[in-house]
Amino acid sequence: MFREPYFVAENFVNKKPGNPLNLVNLKTEILCKGIKAENNIEKGRKSGAGPAGGRYLVLPDNSVVNAPLWPHFVNKSDITLKRFDSGWSLFKNGEKITDVELINTPKFYSLKTPSGYPMYKIALLHGRDCVATTLLQSCVHWSTGNGCKFCGIENSLRTGSTVPRKPPKDLVEVVGAAIEEDVCKHITLTTGTPSTKDRGAKLLAEATKELKDRYEIPVHVQLEPPEGNYLELLANVGADTVGIHIENFDRGVLKSVCPGKAEVSFEEYLSAWRKAVELFGEAQVSTYVIAGLGEDDNSILEGAEMVASLGVIPFLVPFRPILGSEFENRDPPSASRMVPLYEKVAGILADYNLDPSRNLAGCVRCGACSSILEAFVCRG
Ligand code: SF4
């Protein structure tokens, strides 16, 4: 399968490193500082798995950013979003940076599935064209008191904005509506970790199969390293890409921030990544690396190099506080720390000939939560 890249290096404006309007700087500043916006705009979901609390903005050259709009740290941001008759613009310290587009709430959110679920409770639009869902909205680590301190997966259940299990048949209907609306080009399926050895692979496989039986669309699945042949099962039902997320390469940090996940050894991650690259191919396997949890830069760079050498993309994101999580009042890392990290990790990807724009589905393709794609494309 081949897909057109969303953008090419020649089209990037201001790609000179150090230029305040350089796209990597701009996107990273938005991810790390957030944007102050008028009160009368819809500011996005507040909780759930993954980086919530924002809206998707289209920056110059078609780059999409998941921009934090409401968490506490946004009040300190020097970037503001203003509406004009002609559209939206970003300002920094009162000076206009650029015009931007806001990705609107899709129409399928107002529809219901045939079994009566509001479609927005089954799956959401991420970025410009990725329909994403958390198949199981609970996690064994929460029930044992060992949940990740940055995660809000079960909070959105309490607010009633989602359902505990997403029935695959309903998901197929939602994806159909999103395809019809032309807002779905790929799918992200994630899951809270159940207590079983497959670590959610069976749920992911069931949903992937239903989707692949109906649509020709790339599907990304995310899970902890399963025990047994479950990565093979996911490949057999047609999943295109897989995310096996280490979250942080510093084992001490991981133990303190993600005590449940840290019980899975690093060796298990290594062997799952190796197996996944065999099954799905280079650049089709990724791992979230969250910066700003207490690690140092070396742990990120050494870890990124190690996974890149296996063919795995380190999807580097700045920590983002989620309302209701233990870390809700923490700040993200600074953009001045993240920009050089992005540039170095992009250099590592280039050394291993690992182009993230080859990735077919999921977070790496969507790219809204990380500047890694922009850093790779714009590298000097
Ligand atoms: S990068 Fe992943 S979590 Fe972020 S918006 Fe895109 S699909 Fe969602």
Side-chain angles (χ1 to χ4, degrees):
M1 207 182 299
F2 174 78
R3 73 173 179 87
E4 291 289 329
Y6 289 125
F7 35 67
V8 287
E10 290 69 37
N11 289 344
F12 270 85
V13 287
N14 303 305
K15 60 181 178 175
K16 216 166 140 232
N19 182 332
L21 296 185
N22 163 303
L23 194 55
V24 179
N25 286 357
L26 175 59
K27 182 168 177 179
T28 309
E29 284 202 26
I30 292 172
L31 288 170
C32 295
K33 298 177 179 175
I35 295 177
K36 272 193 215 153
E38 301 165 5
N39 282 333
N40 57 352
I41 83 160
E42 161 55 43
K43 293 186 178 170
R45 72 189 165 101
K46 287 192 170 170
S47 197
R55 285 284 302 268
Y56 298 102
L57 265 54
V58 184
L59 300 174
D61 295 312
N62 236 357
S63 161
V64 175
V65 60
N66 180 354
L69 294 184
W70 63 257
H72 66 90
F73 62 92
V74 162
N75 296 331
K76 294 180 270 181
S77 178
D78 54 4
I79 304 174
T80 49
L81 176 68
K82 290 190 182 154
R83 189 201 315 247
F84 296 89
D85 289 345
S86 54
W88 297 87
S89 302
L90 289 181
F91 288 74
K92 187 172 174 183
N93 294 323
E95 274 189 42
K96 183 172 165 183
I97 311 174
T98 179
D99 294 329
V100 290
E101 263 175 57
L102 262 66
I103 293 179
N104 285 324
T105 305
K107 295 191 192 75
F108 76 82
Y109 282 16
S110 60
L111 304 177
K112 284 191 171 175
T113 67
S115 50
Y117 288 112
M119 287 194 176
Y120 73 87
K121 292 195 178 189
I122 299 294
L124 296 170
L125 178 65
H126 283 208
R128 92 190 74 216
D129 57 17
C130 179
V131 168
T133 189
T134 302
L135 291 176
L136 176 69
Q137 199 78 35
S138 56
C139 180
V140 63
H141 304 315
W142 278 52
S143 62
T144 56
N146 287 323
C148 301
K149 293 179 179 167
F150 51 74
C151 176
I153 189 167
E154 295 197 10
N155 294 343
S156 34
L157 266 184
R158 288 178 203 135
T159 60
S161 57
T162 187
V163 296
R165 265 290 301 269
K166 314 298 187 305
K169 297 241 178 303
D170 293 86
L171 178 60
V172 166
E173 297 300 328
V174 176
V175 167
I179 290 174
E180 204 171 304
E181 199 184 327
D182 202 20
V183 293
C184 180
K185 298 273 193 295
H186 59 123
I187 296 168
T188 292
L189 302 179
T190 190
T191 178
T193 302
S195 58
T196 46
K197 288 184 173 176
D198 66 296
R199 297 201 166 112
K202 286 189 202 161
L203 283 176
L204 293 163
E206 183 193 12
T208 303
K209 185 168 180 337
E210 293 274 353
L211 289 164
K212 289 287 190 172
D213 283 350
R214 266 295 269 289
Y215 312 111
E216 231 185 83
I217 193 159
V219 173
H220 172 65
V221 293
Q222 304 180 341
L223 74 172
E224 290 187 46
E227 289 177 42
N229 292 335
Y230 289 106
L231 291 173
E232 284 87 342
L233 172 69
L234 290 164
N236 288 341
V237 293
D240 297 87
T241 67
V242 61
I244 303 169
H245 298 158
I246 189 72
E247 319 291 4
N248 203 283
F249 289 109
D250 182 320
R251 292 303 286 182
V253 167
L254 193 68
K255 234 179 171 161
S256 114
V257 179
C258 306
K261 282 197 85 170
E263 280 166 23
V264 179
S265 70
F266 192 65
E267 287 62 40
E268 284 174 84
Y269 275 89
L270 272 178
S271 89
W273 287 325
R274 284 200 183 100
K275 173 53 71 186
V277 172
E278 254 172 65
L279 293 164
F280 298 90
E282 286 198 348
Q284 308 306 333
V285 182
S286 54
T287 189
Y288 254 79
V289 180
I290 304 177
L293 299 179
E295 74 296 319
D296 63 24
D297 288 0
N298 275 345
S299 94
I300 292 176
L301 295 173
E302 284 165 15
E305 169 122 34
M306 196 269 304
V307 297
S309 73
L310 302 174
V312 175
I313 293 180
F315 193 67
L316 178 63
V317 299
F319 158 71
R320 181 182 301 190
I322 302 290
L323 193 72
S325 70
E326 205 170 326
F327 279 3
E328 69 174 344
N329 293 320
R330 288 209 177 188
D331 283 342
S334 68
S336 59
R337 177 181 175 209
M338 289 304 296
V339 168
L341 277 173
Y342 275 125
E343 285 165 352
K344 287 175 190 160
V345 173
I348 291 170
L349 292 181
D351 289 345
Y352 287 93
N353 203 12
L354 208 54
D355 178 351
S357 69
R358 276 167 34 208
N359 186 273
L360 293 171
C363 291
V364 177
R365 175 167 177 175
C366 165
C369 295
S370 169
S371 302
I372 191 60
L373 187 53
E374 286 76 3
F376 183 84
V377 176
C378 292
R379 74 195 183 282

